[in-house]
């Protein structure tokens, strides 16, 4: 369990660092636009989403944009190669600028996902709370009927709970192409895995 936790933790740490270098600004922009359109289509509060998005970005994430712009201004020398005819040199020189734009898009994507989760918070927490309560009552029922827990079910549920939780965190901080409608499904799965993990937690 600890090993799997550390693996997911490394994924959470290194994916946001590597993604701006792997995805172009255009690809990130298209992913963010799809998420935004899906959010407006599902939530139907375009003006409120825009207001919260701008406020959240300005108050919390502009430092990321400032860092990206400073990195671009220091290292982007693409203008030297723009009319030189050296296409390879121009492509290499464009990397700092593209990376900076991707980092800013990633920060904007994080702000958008945080706004979406804030809109859905109560509806995502309700099934999780119900799963927690169901697990406690099911465990009491097993105790009263002298039914032993089943460790393999606990192990499977614990690992799936870990994976589902980290997938939501990864979606929150990275513009990965996960359909917006999948996020509530993750909340339902988490509630099921919580219930099973509590019910079948081994008695040592």
């Amino acid at each position: 369990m600890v090993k799997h936790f550390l693996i997911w933790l490394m994924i959470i740490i290194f994916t946001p660092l590597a993604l701006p270098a792997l995805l172009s600004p255009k690809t990130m922009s298209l992913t963010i636009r799809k998420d935004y359109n899906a959010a407006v289509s599902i939530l139907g509060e375009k003006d409120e989403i825009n207001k919260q998005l701008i406020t959240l970005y300005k108050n919390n994430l502009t430092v990321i944009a400032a860092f990206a712009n400073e990195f671009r201004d220091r290292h982007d020398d693409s203008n030297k190669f723009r009319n030189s005819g050296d296409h390879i040199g121009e492509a290499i020189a464009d990397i700092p600028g593209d990376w900076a734009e991707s980092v800013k898009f990633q920060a904007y994507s994080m702000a958008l996902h945080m706004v979406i989760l804030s809109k859905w918070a109560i509806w995502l927490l309700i099934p999780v709370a119900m799963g927690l309560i169901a697990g406690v009552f099911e465990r009491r029922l097993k105790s009263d009927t002298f039914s032993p827990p089943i460790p393999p079910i606990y192990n499977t549920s614990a690992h799936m709970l870990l994976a589902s939780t980290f997938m939501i965190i990864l979606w929150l901080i990275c513009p990965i192409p996960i359909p917006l409608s999948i996020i509530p499904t993750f909340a339902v799965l988490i509630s099921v895995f919580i219930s099973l993990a509590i019910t079948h937690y081994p008695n040592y």
Side-chain angles (χ1 to χ4, degrees), residues 15-32:
T15 301
L17 298 176
L19 210 58
L22 298 176
L23 298 181
S24 66
K26 183 178 179 180
T27 302
M28 283 195 175
S29 177
L30 291 174
T31 301
I32 294 171

Side-chain angles (χ1 to χ4, degrees), residues 95-117:
I95 290 176
D98 290 343
W99 181 87
E101 288 301 311
S102 295
V103 168
K104 289 187 286 186
F105 276 129
Q106 184 163 300
Y108 188 83
S109 174
M110 186 189 305
L112 175 60
H113 290 169
M114 291 175 69
V115 170
I116 294 171
L117 284 184

Side-chain angles (χ1 to χ4, degrees), residues 25-158:
K26 183 178 179 180
T27 302
M28 283 195 175
S29 177
L30 291 174
T31 301
I32 294 171
R33 189 174 303 158
K34 289 179 180 178
D35 286 345
Y36 176 80
N37 291 335
V40 172
S41 176
I42 294 173
L43 300 173
E45 301 176 357
K46 184 175 182 178
D47 293 338
E48 185 65 20
I49 290 174
N50 291 340
K51 181 180 177 181
Q52 292 187 16
L53 184 57
I54 293 172
T55 301
L56 180 63
Y57 187 85
K58 285 184 175 180
N59 292 342
N60 299 283
L61 299 174
T62 50
V63 63
I64 298 176
F67 167 77
N69 289 334
E70 182 180 356
F71 179 86
R72 178 199 60 200
D73 295 339
R74 286 186 177 184
H75 301 284
D76 186 4
D77 54 355
S78 56
N79 290 332
K80 298 179 181 179
F81 294 89
R82 191 69 64 197
N83 299 314
S84 65
D86 183 1
H87 300 295
I88 296 177
E90 182 179 348
I92 295 175
D94 283 338
I95 290 176
D98 290 343
W99 181 87
E101 288 301 311
S102 295
V103 168
K104 289 187 286 186
F105 276 129
Q106 184 163 300
Y108 188 83
S109 174
M110 186 189 305
L112 175 60
H113 290 169
M114 291 175 69
V115 170
I116 294 171
L117 284 184
S118 70
K119 295 289 186 181
W120 277 350
I122 185 65
W123 304 109
L124 297 179
L125 291 176
I126 286 175
V128 173
M130 292 177 64
L132 181 64
I133 295 171
V136 171
F137 279 104
E138 183 67 22
R139 186 169 182 83
R140 287 184 179 179
L141 180 62
K142 275 185 167 294
S143 177
D144 293 339
T145 57
F146 302 101
S147 299
I150 305 175
I153 294 181
Y154 165 76
N155 290 333
T156 302
S157 300

Side-chain angles (χ1 to χ4, degrees), residues 134-204:
V136 171
F137 279 104
E138 183 67 22
R139 186 169 182 83
R140 287 184 179 179
L141 180 62
K142 275 185 167 294
S143 177
D144 293 339
T145 57
F146 302 101
S147 299
I150 305 175
I153 294 181
Y154 165 76
N155 290 333
T156 302
S157 300
H159 284 91
M160 294 303 294
L161 175 62
L162 184 68
S164 301
T165 303
F166 273 105
M167 279 299 296
I168 290 183
I169 297 174
L170 192 63
W171 171 83
L172 176 64
I173 61 179
C174 295
I176 54 179
I178 295 179
L180 197 58
S181 57
I182 297 295
I183 303 305
T185 306
F186 274 116
V188 174
L189 291 175
I190 286 174
S191 69
V192 174
F193 297 139
I194 287 177
S195 177
L196 291 173
I198 293 174
T199 301
H200 294 282
Y201 184 79
N203 294 321
Y204 294 112

